Amino acid sequence: MENKIKLLYMLQTLDLKLMDLEEEKGDLPGIVQNLNDQINELQAQIDELRKQINEHTSTREQSNLDAETLNQRVESLKKQLYEVRNNKEYDAITKEIAEAEENIMAKMQNAEEHDDKQKELSANVDELKQKYESLQSELQDNQKDLQEVSKVHEDEELQLKHERDKIARQLPQETLVSYDRIRSAKYGKAVVPITRGACGGCYKTVPPQLNLLLRKNDEILHCENCGRILIAEEIAAEVNKVA
Ligand SMILES: [Zn+2]
């Protein structure tokens, strides 16, 4: 088994190359992601509006049905008026007719309000749909560009990832986790060679005993100042020669 530090440094060399390839894709991955997010958000808004439209439609339909039922009742009450036998009965029926007609007015007004609301929301949906279409076509253009850029480096990227996996498999999980954590905090460089007795990351002088330890064993040692993993200069040079 190869030296753990050396393996880590080899891993980083590959990661930096992969980062360069990723950079050549420029903003495209971010743009595509952003467009996808916007499209999903729009879709959710459209779905919500459509749900509200359906609710207004069924309320309007119910109000119209209620008004129709009340209308029939009024018709039948009016017929009963011809058959009344006394004033008291006459008054009761005319009172019921008046109430029913008032109710009909209210139901019809209600139906109209829900109809207006539904039309307003439908106009909103049309607007959002237009926006949706234009974002979709923008997304397609950017996806096409991204695919073209990716295709150029596809083989190289695959090869690098394959090599990376091979090395990563030889390293303990906790070492990889620590490497990734330092890497993301230090813009891609977690392992740095000691140069002229100083940390290659922060340039702080490394104590001689630490330097000695580094040459001796497989232990992972960190710069006391910046926390990066240190590698002896000659081992780094060896890796760089091969890469
Ligand atoms: Zn340092």
Side-chain angles (χ1 to χ4, degrees):
M1 183 167 152
E2 296 236 43
N3 182 293
K4 229 196 271 178
I5 316 273
K6 191 174 167 185
L7 283 172
L8 264 184
Y9 195 65
M10 284 160 75
L11 191 74
Q12 176 170 279
T13 307
L14 294 167
D15 278 338
L16 288 173
K17 282 183 185 168
L18 281 165
M19 254 170 87
D20 284 346
L21 288 186
E22 209 48 48
E23 252 166 48
E24 283 191 41
K25 294 177 189 169
D27 292 339
L28 285 170
I31 291 171
V32 166
Q33 176 67 46
N34 186 280
L35 285 169
N36 263 321
D37 291 348
Q38 285 187 59
I39 285 170
N40 288 338
E41 168 104 30
L42 265 182
Q43 185 61 59
Q45 287 172 345
I46 291 172
D47 289 347
E48 172 58 27
L49 287 178
R50 281 187 173 143
K51 206 178 102 201
Q52 289 178 20
I53 288 171
N54 283 338
E55 281 164 14
H56 287 299
T57 305
S58 57
T59 310
R60 189 201 65 208
E61 281 167 356
Q62 188 54 52
S63 292
N64 280 333
L65 279 176
D66 292 348
E68 187 53 41
T69 309
L70 285 165
N71 254 325
Q72 283 163 10
R73 177 72 185 147
V74 169
E75 291 309 310
S76 107
L77 286 169
K78 279 179 177 168
K79 276 177 198 146
Q80 284 178 45
L81 273 182
Y82 295 113
E83 292 150 22
V84 292
R85 282 154 306 186
N86 55 52
N87 277 343
K88 200 180 157 200
E89 228 177 287
Y90 184 89
D91 287 346
I93 291 173
T94 47
K95 190 170 170 244
E96 198 185 337
I97 288 173
E99 277 169 5
E101 279 174 339
E102 214 171 288
N103 255 329
I104 289 168
M105 290 294 286
K107 290 286 177 193
M108 283 169 70
Q109 199 185 336
N110 184 276
E112 207 173 307
E113 278 165 15
H114 284 282
D115 192 45
D116 287 348
K117 200 72 201 153
Q118 184 210 322
K119 281 181 182 140
E120 188 189 319
L121 294 178
S122 296
N124 283 351
V125 168
D126 288 344
E127 219 173 279
L128 291 181
K129 265 162 75 183
Q130 269 184 13
K131 217 165 142 190
Y132 184 92
E133 297 299 330
S134 98
L135 282 175
Q136 276 287 7
S137 88
E138 208 183 316
L139 175 67
Q140 273 164 17
D141 290 347
N142 280 289
Q143 263 171 341
K144 208 171 135 238
D145 289 349
L146 180 59
Q147 267 164 14
E148 275 164 20
V149 178
S150 303
K151 213 172 161 52
V152 177
H153 299 294
E154 210 172 33
D155 292 342
E156 194 185 351
E157 197 174 334
L158 216 68
Q159 173 74 19
L160 287 170
K161 281 183 176 163
H162 182 68
E163 282 176 46
R164 189 199 189 279
D165 285 348
K166 241 165 54 187
I167 293 172
R169 268 200 300 271
Q170 300 175 61
L171 286 160
Q173 190 58 32
E174 67 265 25
T175 306
L176 288 172
V177 169
S178 148
Y179 164 78
D180 279 332
R181 200 177 42 232
I182 303 172
R183 223 182 137 236
S184 59
K186 302 292 178 192
Y187 308 103
K189 282 202 178 177
V191 190
V192 290
I194 294 184
T195 318
R196 284 185 292 277
C199 163
C202 69
Y203 306 113
K204 178 107 176 163
T205 307
V206 173
Q209 67 270 30
L210 192 63
N211 214 335
L212 215 66
L213 272 175
L214 267 174
R215 284 163 207 241
K216 271 190 188 161
N217 60 35
D218 197 23
E219 216 181 321
I220 290 182
L221 297 164
H222 298 264
C223 165
E224 288 166 352
N225 186 48
C226 69
R228 289 183 179 93
I229 297 162
L230 296 168
I231 180 169
E233 201 171 7
E234 55 271 24
I235 301 178
E238 209 183 298
V239 174
N240 285 333
K241 222 190 304 169
V242 181

